Amino acid sequence: MTARAQEVILIVAKAFGVTYGGIIADSRNTHETMARHVAMYVARKALGISLPDLGREMNRDHTTVLSGVRKIEGLREADPQLKALTESLVTAVEYREAARHSGEIDVLALAQSVASNPRRNAAAASVQEVAALALTFIDLWEVVSAAETLIADLGACSIDGDPDQVARIEALSAAIGDEIHHIAGDDPEDQANGDMQWKQ
């Protein structure tokens, strides 16, 4: 599966609160089916992926993809909420695509520059640089979220009571949880340090 199509499916899955697998599976669940059709529509409109290519990406025949796209086109006219959602998703995918092609931006160097002098360097950053930072942050957040899910799945697995394995999984789980809280800005230790800085 191409990265571009995968990205559309992930974006739509997140918007609908379903899994990636739920969208590409043969599920007849109404919510997953709607998400699947929206993903087909968004991929066609935002990326121009051909019907046969999109069909291969989503484990469907090209006529099924065409039917899904047409269904969303029809529903958009009657449902302002769906229209707004699909427009938002198409715009998000188009913006990500444009940012990806806007030239090579050294995101790490840019982040370090902004962090070193936020007032001056953040205002000097171009729209493309800000977009690149935002996309990198989103990508990192998705990696961390996937790692958290993996750790939860590992914790549910039987590890035959091996204390070393249990300790490693617990340590990894705690580290991932700490990073998620830190990225989200709700790390109690950071908040305590921030309170101390304001008081000094």
Side-chain angles (χ1 to χ4, degrees):
M1 180 167 288
T2 66
R4 294 167 70 216
Q6 286 177 344
E7 188 170 34
V8 170
I9 294 168
L10 286 169
I11 289 169
V12 172
K14 182 175 265 185
F16 275 80
V18 299
T19 65
Y20 179 92
I23 289 181
I24 63 170
D26 289 332
S27 170
R28 300 267 186 219
N29 173 294
T30 306
H31 194 63
E32 288 175 342
T33 301
M34 177 61 83
R36 182 180 310 122
H37 291 162
V38 168
M40 292 171 180
Y41 175 86
V42 170
R44 282 285 290 161
K45 296 300 177 191
L47 302 175
I49 298 175
S50 72
L51 293 171
D53 287 346
L54 191 52
R56 278 189 291 279
E57 300 292 341
M58 299 187 77
N59 303 321
R60 302 289 187 281
D61 182 82
H62 75 279
T63 58
T64 303
V65 174
L66 178 60
S67 174
V69 170
R70 286 182 175 164
K71 179 171 185 163
I72 296 303
E73 287 173 342
L75 290 173
R76 281 171 38 94
E77 298 308 315
D79 186 345
Q81 252 185 325
L82 179 63
K83 185 174 184 174
L85 174 64
T86 54
E87 286 175 359
S88 170
L89 291 169
V90 167
T91 300
V93 171
E94 288 173 341
Y95 197 77
R96 286 176 81 107
E97 192 73 6
R100 192 170 281 115
H101 296 294
S102 66
E104 293 301 316
I105 295 171
D106 185 346
V107 177
L108 181 58
L110 176 62
Q112 290 169 335
S113 170
V114 169
S116 71
N117 190 342
R119 286 187 182 175
R120 189 181 90 222
N121 296 338
S126 71
V127 172
Q128 288 84 11
E129 289 172 328
V130 172
L133 282 172
L135 293 174
T136 301
F137 179 82
I138 290 168
D139 290 343
L140 288 172
W141 182 259
E142 289 170 355
V143 167
V144 169
S145 296
E148 183 182 41
T149 301
L150 177 63
I151 292 302
D153 291 346
L154 284 175
C157 292
S158 171
I159 50 177
D160 299 327
D162 181 351
D164 290 338
Q165 290 284 38
V166 170
R168 279 189 283 230
I169 288 173
E170 288 175 350
L172 186 55
S173 180
I176 289 171
D178 289 347
E179 284 303 310
I180 288 172
H181 291 295
H182 179 71
I183 290 170
D186 60 356
D187 187 357
E189 188 175 313
D190 284 352
Q191 290 174 0
N193 290 340
D195 290 345
M196 294 295 281
Q197 289 172 353
W198 283 108
K199 291 176 183 174
Q200 292 176 347

